[in-house]
Amino acid sequence: MAGQVFCLVLILVLLLVTAGTVALFVEGRQSSMDEARARTMSVAGTFANSPGIVPALESAHPTAILQPRAEKIREQTHVDSVVVANTHGIRYTHPDPALIGKHIVGPYDEALAGRSYTRTFTGSQGPAVSSVVPVERPDGSVVGLVAVAITVETVNSAADRSIPPSVAVAVVALALTTGAAALVSRRLRRQTHGLEPAEMTRMYEHHDAVLHAVREGVLIIGPDHRLNLANDEARRLLGLPPDAEGRAVADLGLAPGTAALFASGGSVSDEVLRSGNRLLAVNLRPTDERGGPPGTVVTLRDTTELRAVTGQAESVTERLLLLYEASARIGTTLDVTRTAQELADVATPGFADATTVDLVGPVPPGEDPVVSDDGGLEMRRTAIAASEAGRPLYPLDRKVGFVPSRTRAVHVRIDSENLEQEVITRIGRRYWDPERLRGLLDHGFHSMISVPLHARGVVLGLVNFWRLGDSERFDDDDLSFAEELVARAAVSVDNARRYTREHEMAVTLQRNLLPRGVPDQNALDVAHRYLPARAGVGGDWYDVIPLSGARVALVVGDVVGHGVHAAATMGRLRTGIHNFSALDLAPDELLGHLDELVGRIDREEADGGVEITGATCLYAIYDGVSGNCAVAGAGHPGPILVLPDGTVECPEVPAGLPLGVGGMPFEAAEFHVPEGSRLVLYTDGLVEGRGRDIETGLELLRDSLAGRDRTPEQTCDDVLSAMLPEQPGDDVALLVARTHVLDPGQVARWGVATDPAAVAGVRKKVAQWLADRGLYEEAFTTELILSELVTNAVRYGEGPIEVRLLYDRNLICEVSDTSSTAPHLRYAATTDEGGRGLFLVAQFAERWGTRYTETGKVIWSEQTVGESDGEGPVGAGLFGDDLFGADVPDDDAPDDGTRGDGTRGDDASGDGTLGGGVLSGGPSDRPDPR
């Protein structure tokens, strides 16, 4: 339709423009001809009546006078020719001089008669318009004539000059008219949405039919709040009068709230209004949102019959959403109490006004619930959630008896007459408090659902849902929903209970495998902490192991994984470290042996289908004599050294590969530790955590250690407070040791010549050193031990030989040489002359052993100071007189090794040693050549 209108307008405009152009052209030609007649007549008359024209005609040479004047007039008046002729028609002037003197063309009788005229004729210049005027004497006689002509070509050229402006005007008019027609057509197309007339007619018919046949009321309200349109359903639902259209909304007889809503002009979705006995769902939308006319469209639906069905659907939807929320919120942790509280919080107030959860046994339980002899279970109130406070419900941790005689949910009306009997028989409560019943009734409780909490065939507790006040009573659908909700929560509670049992077992195993206390030693003041992980016990451990020579080993480690398996692996590694430490190995050598042990464990567990074990470890040996510390690590964070002034240092320790990886040796680092410093060893759970990388954790740890001087116990507390404000996500082991150094007066060193006679001098120096410290009772035993150890070093070792005595908690004797072989304890036969020396050393010393160094070995023994048998000299009667006899020197023995009576103890050797080979490390004490 828009296209047709456009074409029609365009054709009309073209016709009008064409007709106008033709009319302008014709009119221009006619106007030009009229103008040519008027101009020629005017020029001819003016020239004919000009002064001097008559004398010129009567002169002897009129051409000489008139030709210049005629040409000048012709040029000034823009005519084609000005001709002056006599009464005989002979030309005196002409634009073409060749024609002067010739007879003019055409009749001129009228001019000789004294009349002027204009005519069109064809002359020498072609068709032209010519005007002829007679030249008269004063007496009126004609003396000649003047003819002025303009060719038709000149006339047409003048007319043609007006055609372009006319055409331009026509084109502009055509363009403007076409543009206006296009705009009108476009607007019409937009308003009709590009529809054909037939389609518009069909649409209107369908629109009218649908508008009045649809089961939904439709109102269109204009911007002036007047009703523009109302279909039949809207009239029926609202009871509108027949003449409602065109009237103001406020005058339609609607309720004030409904009329105000309709006239508001806003957007409303599914707002429920009451119209008589109907409930109407009302929707309002502006009509000008997408370029339509201003106003409001209102749709109405009768929801009276669907209200009940909708309510049920909404209830089902709410229950599904509540179940989904329960799946997301219940069981977020493996804590039984937390899980029970999550169940109560989910159910309140979405399902019940109050919810209580009672669980069997102590919370969290460690074992499966056990039914008592009277068939009941002792439960405790574990969780409560109520929409309002002050409810007359049992408080938390209150004991509640329950007889597990059912697994289905039970619905009870609290205001029933036989409530006490129902509570005892149907719910299974072992007792009932009448005062509690009165409190429930006073607070408006009217119904309850009781659901046993059971999973995997075990009754775990009881969940009660309560409603009160204006809330609807529980029905059968609520009963089914309560069972579904509790069934989902029961699995989480049972998982938490089982995890609690396993967690307690792992924690118990872990703590039993960790050191019960710190062994007695004076080199270090030690404090330690172990914190199990929040989600499960790992394999972190620490250890303090006293070594020979006033040295102490500090150990921290971490086994990969959590649970009983990690704790058991930790125990195996700790045992291995103790065994390897007994060999007095260097830190790097010990980690090498431990790496082989972890590799064997890995292979064993891989064959058994158990996950591969991995571990990290840091092993440090602190020497209480020199103050030096040797450290080696296997994939573990290095130690931190806090100097006495509070400065924090991080000694560089080669990291090494974790235990069990194998293939690379371990390296040890040694550094000096000033006395009074604190060595801090820890596992990665202290510095790493969720949302914190290890670099940030180390920086925070250094900050917490810096500053004032603190005891190791205070240091542990401060570090844990700063690093772990909450329970850690991984195990944490922390070991803090303050260092001490033996006083120089507690250490003695003597060099020994590689001569058996030098043993006597050693005995003398040792006796004097012990006497200076009041250790008189230890002198004989110490001389006896050192005599054997020095004699063995002199006879079978390599120099230089050195003797060192340390007086710490015990008395330590050390004999060092540069040989890499050491004697070992053996039983001597009755026919052997010697071989009993090391056996006696083992009997008299608390401990003894061999320690290898970079330059050789050290044979050491440790004696408990102040302990003796109280019956004569040490060793007297131990093996009978056949062993010692008269060879045991008395206190007055001379320094040269002779006995008190002047004879030597060994008549054969005379070397000054005790016992003539009995304590001299005879053949039986030689190193095994194999």
Side-chain angles (χ1 to χ4, degrees):
M1 182 176 181
Q4 294 174 2
V5 171
F6 176 75
C7 292
L8 177 61
V9 172
L10 184 60
I11 292 172
L12 291 176
V13 171
L14 287 174
L15 291 176
L16 291 175
V17 170
T18 303
T21 303
V22 171
L24 288 174
F25 178 76
V26 173
E27 184 181 359
R29 288 294 179 90
Q30 186 64 37
S31 298
S32 297
M33 293 297 291
D34 294 341
E35 183 183 357
R37 291 187 181 95
R39 185 190 303 177
T40 57
M41 179 59 72
S42 175
V43 173
T46 302
F47 191 75
N49 295 313
S50 62
I53 187 66
V54 174
L57 286 173
E58 292 178 346
S59 66
H61 300 284
T63 300
I65 298 173
L66 296 175
Q67 177 68 13
R69 295 176 62 183
E71 288 300 314
K72 183 178 181 181
I73 293 298
R74 184 180 64 81
E75 292 176 359
Q76 291 178 350
T77 59
H78 303 289
V79 296
D80 292 324
S81 65
V82 177
V83 179
V84 180
N86 58 17
T87 56
H88 300 289
I90 301 301
R91 300 186 184 97
Y92 289 147
T93 63
H94 196 279
D96 186 4
L99 297 178
I100 296 175
K102 294 183 178 182
H103 200 280
I104 62 177
V105 179
Y108 53 87
D109 294 340
E110 292 185 26
L112 295 178
R115 294 189 297 271
S116 300
Y117 65 91
T118 301
R119 64 176 179 174
T120 301
F121 74 99
T122 302
S124 62
Q125 295 179 345
V129 176
S130 178
S131 294
V132 181
V133 177
V135 179
E136 297 177 349
R137 293 183 181 94
D139 59 359
S141 62
V142 177
V143 68
L145 57 87
V146 176
V148 178
I150 298 178
T151 62
V152 174
E153 182 180 356
T154 302
V155 173
N156 291 340
S157 63
D160 291 343
R161 285 195 296 271
S162 65
I163 292 176
S166 301
V167 172
V169 172
V171 171
V172 172
L174 178 61
L176 293 176
T177 307
T178 303
L183 291 176
V184 172
S185 175
R186 182 178 180 183
R187 180 174 179 84
L188 182 61
R189 185 179 297 276
R190 185 172 63 250
Q191 291 178 345
T192 59
H193 301 283
L195 300 176
E196 297 294 335
E199 294 179 351
M200 294 179 62
T201 302
R202 185 172 62 255
M203 178 180 291
Y204 175 77
E205 293 174 350
H206 291 173
H207 170 268
D208 189 64
V210 172
L211 180 65
H212 295 287
V214 72
R215 292 297 304 274
E216 185 169 306
V218 178
L219 302 174
I220 297 180
I221 302 173
D224 56 354
H225 301 161
R226 291 184 178 275
L227 181 62
N228 294 337
L229 176 66
N231 68 347
D232 295 341
E233 184 68 10
R235 294 175 183 274
R236 183 183 68 85
L237 295 176
L238 297 175
L240 298 177
D243 59 345
E245 293 181 356
R247 296 172 58 181
V249 175
D251 299 335
L252 297 178
L254 302 176
T258 303
L261 178 64
F262 289 174
S264 64
S267 295
V268 175
S269 297
D270 293 332
E271 182 168 338
V272 179
L273 296 178
R274 181 175 295 277
S275 177
N277 57 353
R278 295 187 179 94
L279 292 177
L280 303 180
V282 180
N283 292 273
L284 274 72
R285 293 291 184 274
T287 58
D288 56 355
E289 289 184 346
R290 299 185 179 180
T296 305
V297 60
V298 182
T299 58
L300 310 168
R301 293 197 314 274
D302 189 356
T303 61
T304 305
E305 297 178 356
L306 299 177
R307 197 63 181 173
V309 178
T310 304
Q312 293 179 357
E314 291 177 354
S315 177
V316 172
T317 302
E318 291 176 357
R319 297 294 168 80
L320 291 176
L321 292 176
L322 192 59
L323 287 177
Y324 175 78
E325 183 182 2
S327 300
R329 292 179 54 186
I330 299 176
T332 58
T333 66
L334 291 174
D335 181 79
V336 177
T337 303
R338 176 70 176 275
T339 303
Q341 188 61 51
E342 289 171 346
L343 169 60
D345 292 339
V346 167
T348 307
F351 176 66
D353 295 318
T355 304
T356 61
V357 181
D358 306 327
L359 296 182
V360 176
V363 179
E367 300 293 339
D368 290 342
V370 178
V371 180
S372 61
D373 296 338
D374 57 0
L377 288 173
E378 287 296 331
M379 300 185 301
R380 290 183 181 273
R381 179 61 47 86
T382 308
I384 299 177
S387 57
E388 297 181 14
R391 300 302 181 192
L393 303 173
Y394 287 132
L396 291 176
D397 208 36
R398 170 67 181 268
K399 288 185 177 181
V400 180
F402 173 65
V403 178
S405 59
R406 61 182 175 87
T407 58
R408 302 285 299 177
V410 174
H411 174 212
V412 177
R413 293 172 60 94
I414 296 180
D415 55 358
S416 63
E417 297 179 357
N418 299 323
L419 178 60
E420 183 174 353
Q421 186 64 26
E422 289 187 2
V423 169
I424 295 176
T425 57
R426 296 180 61 196
I427 298 181
R429 287 286 179 87
R430 296 178 60 189
Y431 57 88
W432 181 252
D433 187 357
E435 295 183 359
R436 189 69 56 180
L437 172 59
R438 288 193 295 270
L440 294 175
L441 295 176
D442 293 341
H443 278 80
F445 285 87
H446 52 68
S447 61
M448 177 187 71
I449 290 179
S450 178
V451 186
L453 188 70
H454 60 88
R456 300 180 178 94
V458 178
V459 177
L460 306 176
L462 189 67
V463 182
N464 296 323
F465 304 98
W466 311 78
R467 283 187 181 175
L468 69 158
D470 297 333
S471 300
E472 297 181 358
R473 295 180 181 272
F474 288 116
D475 53 20
D476 293 339
D477 293 337
D478 296 328
L479 201 66
S480 300
F481 174 78
E483 288 183 326
E484 176 68 20
L485 180 61
V486 173
R488 296 193 179 197
V491 177
S492 299
V493 172
D494 187 58
N495 290 339
R497 181 180 63 87
R498 292 174 180 271
Y499 166 78
T500 300
R501 179 170 56 191
E502 180 180 350
H503 182 72
E504 288 182 350
M505 291 173 57
V507 171
T508 302
L509 176 62
Q510 178 85 347
R511 294 195 181 279
N512 287 337
L513 292 176
L514 289 174
R516 298 295 182 88
V518 178
D520 295 334
Q521 45 80 36
N522 291 339
L524 298 171
D525 292 336
V526 180
H528 53 83
R529 296 290 188 274
Y530 170 75
L531 298 179
R534 177 176 60 252
V537 176
D540 291 15
W541 86 91
Y542 63 89
D543 224 329
V544 180
I545 306 173
L547 303 177
S548 63
R551 297 175 307 129
V552 181
L554 301 176
V555 189
V556 291
D558 184 3
V559 176
V560 175
H562 295 83
V564 177
H565 174 262
T569 303
M570 178 273 293
R572 298 171 70 178
L573 296 184
R574 183 167 176 259
T575 302
I577 291 176
H578 274 265
N579 292 333
F580 295 141
S581 298
L583 301 177
D584 267 327
L585 299 176
D588 52 342
E589 296 179 6
L590 185 142
L591 290 182
H593 290 289
L594 194 63
D595 181 61
E596 295 178 0
L597 174 62
V598 174
R600 289 197 301 271
I601 295 175
D602 285 345
R603 290 189 292 273
E604 294 172 1
E605 295 183 345
D607 295 338
V610 184
E611 61 180 356
I612 300 298
T613 299
T616 63
C617 182
L618 186 70
Y619 188 86
I621 297 178
Y622 174 72
D623 190 341
V625 178
S626 64
N628 293 334
C629 182
V631 184
H636 200 89
I640 295 180
L641 178 62
V642 185
L643 300 178
D645 61 356
T647 304
V648 177
E649 295 181 355
C650 295
E652 293 188 5
V653 177
L657 296 176
L659 298 174
V661 176
M664 296 294 292
F666 297 96
E667 298 182 54
E670 186 170 354
F671 52 90
H672 182 71
V673 180
E675 185 175 9
S677 300
R678 284 167 288 164
L679 276 170
V680 180
L681 284 70
Y682 55 92
T683 56
D684 57 0
L686 181 67
V687 294
E688 285 186 307
R690 182 175 300 177
R692 183 176 67 189
D693 57 23
I694 189 170
E695 294 298 331
T696 304
L698 287 175
E699 185 66 26
L700 184 59
L701 177 59
R702 287 191 290 266
D703 293 342
S704 64
L705 291 171
R708 62 186 179 87
D709 187 22
R710 289 165 285 187
T711 65
E713 291 290 340
Q714 293 173 338
T715 303
C716 288
D717 294 337
D718 293 345
V719 167
L720 293 182
S721 298
M723 302 293 295
L724 302 172
E726 299 179 355
Q727 190 173 1
D730 191 11
D731 282 22
V732 174
L734 177 62
L735 196 63
V736 179
R738 184 191 295 275
T739 61
H740 299 284
V741 178
L742 291 182
D743 187 87
Q746 297 176 274
V747 182
R749 289 187 177 89
W750 300 284
V752 180
T754 55
D755 182 1
V759 176
V762 172
R763 291 202 310 271
K764 179 180 179 182
K765 293 176 182 178
V766 168
Q768 183 61 45
W769 191 81
L770 295 176
D772 293 341
R773 285 151 184 79
L775 303 176
Y776 300 101
E777 296 182 356
E778 313 302 328
F780 181 79
T781 302
T782 305
E783 291 181 36
L784 190 66
I785 292 174
L786 281 177
S787 294
E788 172 58 26
L789 298 182
V790 173
T791 300
N792 272 343
V794 169
R795 288 186 175 182
Y796 309 116
E798 298 178 2
I801 301 172
E802 183 182 76
V803 173
R804 186 174 75 164
L805 263 63
L806 305 177
Y807 178 35
D808 190 14
R809 303 177 67 89
N810 296 328
L811 184 60
I812 301 171
C813 302
E814 295 180 350
V815 178
S816 62
D817 63 76
T818 59
S819 173
S820 60
T821 59
H824 58 278
L825 186 64
R826 300 176 62 185
Y827 284 98
T830 56
T831 58
D832 290 340
E833 295 182 0
R836 301 175 180 84
L838 287 182
F839 183 79
L840 294 178
V841 171
Q843 296 298 318
F844 291 134
E846 184 75 18
R847 297 187 305 157
W848 77 280
T850 303
R851 179 173 75 249
Y852 291 94
T853 64
E854 296 180 356
T855 59
K857 68 175 183 299
V858 176
I859 309 297
W860 58 271
S861 68
E862 184 174 329
Q863 304 165 235
T864 302
V865 177
E867 295 185 2
S868 65
D869 56 8
E871 296 181 2
V874 177
L878 182 62
F879 293 97
D881 292 341
D882 59 333
L883 177 61
F884 284 96
D887 287 338
V888 177
D890 57 18
D891 293 337
D892 297 327
D895 293 339
D896 59 358
T898 60
R899 293 181 297 183
D901 57 0
T903 62
R904 294 186 179 272
D906 187 350
D907 296 337
S909 63
D911 58 3
T913 59
L914 293 176
V918 175
L919 299 179
S920 62
S924 297
D925 289 335
R926 289 180 179 272
D928 191 341
R930 292 174 295 175

